[in-house]
Amino acid sequence: MTNEQVLERHVGREAILADVVDPERMERLAALLDKRWTSADPIPPLGHFLLFRPAELQSRIGPDGHPLRDPEGMLPAIDLPRRMWAGSRIRFVGDMCPGTVVTRKSRLQSAVPKFGKTGSMVFCTVTHEIRDEAGNLLIAEEQDIVYREAHAGPDLAARPTVPANFVPSHTATIMADPVMLFRYSGLTFNSHRIHYDREYAAREEGYQGLVVHGPYLATMLFDHLRKVAGGRRIAEFAFRAVSPSFDGEELTLGALVDGDRVNLSIANPSGLGMTGSAKLAD
């Protein structure tokens, strides 16, 4: 069966998972962000990324650390080996409180094959709706997942150089180290080896260092957004990965507030690593 036929079969598939907004996980996410947290505080930045964690059997884990692809699963079981979370668009509708039982309904909205500089790719969009026990919508998200070909050749892959698209008025710097990446992998039960196995990341996927998780970068960017939002509620948040960021690099978080809109960015030594935007509510 061709990749195109597999994609056609998978589009429209759904998955439903349940979880609890666990205060222990939220406390540990806050600790990773160097903050104290109690259950009386708002959920830490993008705390819902810690929910609905995978629980794949160890015998079902592939050589890259990801679960093996299931022909009957929601995501397409195609023969492009590399997978990355490329971005999300999130609406915060209701408050997520510690201890709440929540359900996430996910749907593969689209799966589009493309061809770029690195070869064949497939861009998947997955929609998520997170609701409480009463059925109230708390979070609506569109998540972009990209499948790519294997890294070819003995040389490391060149990192794209992407220029900044605005001048931020609020900046902060952070350097992600291997311990931080390990702790975030543990919190999310993400066993993708590019985040902790330096030899694998270089040899098999062509990276220049340990890769900082896209959702972890987004979490740090959201935390920066909270600081510059002046206490206003964040109604919408979006991010898109532009180029990989690695451990040991100084990363600059940037924000430019214009009324109820905020432009966001993360710059690494090569240029933009992530772009983002947000809408603030009164």
Side-chain angles (χ1 to χ4, degrees), residues 33-49:
L33 297 171
D34 207 34
K35 303 175 188 297
R36 299 291 183 189
W37 183 87
T38 72
S39 58
D41 298 324
I43 294 298
L46 302 184
H48 71 284
F49 285 173

Side-chain angles (χ1 to χ4, degrees), residues 103-124:
T103 301
R104 185 183 73 183
K105 181 177 181 180
S106 305
R107 184 178 190 272
L108 181 59
Q109 192 71 24
S110 65
V112 181
K114 295 186 178 182
F115 193 87
K117 294 180 180 179
T118 58
S120 296
M121 298 180 287
V122 170
F123 288 77
C124 296

Side-chain angles (χ1 to χ4, degrees), residues 7 10-11 74-78 80 83-87 89 107-114 121-127 142-147:
L7 297 178
H10 280 258
V11 170
M74 182 188 69
L75 291 175
I78 55 179
L80 296 175
R83 191 180 86 185
M84 64 173 291
W85 182 344
R89 295 160 297 284
R107 184 178 190 272
L108 181 59
Q109 192 71 24
S110 65
V112 181
K114 295 186 178 182
M121 298 180 287
V122 170
F123 288 77
C124 296
T125 298
V126 178
T127 59
E142 291 183 346
Q143 178 184 358
D144 298 324
I145 299 171
V146 179
Y147 292 87

Side-chain angles (χ1 to χ4, degrees), residues 166-172 224 228 252-259 261-265:
F166 71 93
V167 178
S169 56
H170 300 80
T171 61
H224 181 61
V228 304
T252 301
L253 313 174
L256 177 63
V257 181
D258 182 11
R261 299 285 177 174
V262 186
N263 288 326
L264 298 162
S265 66

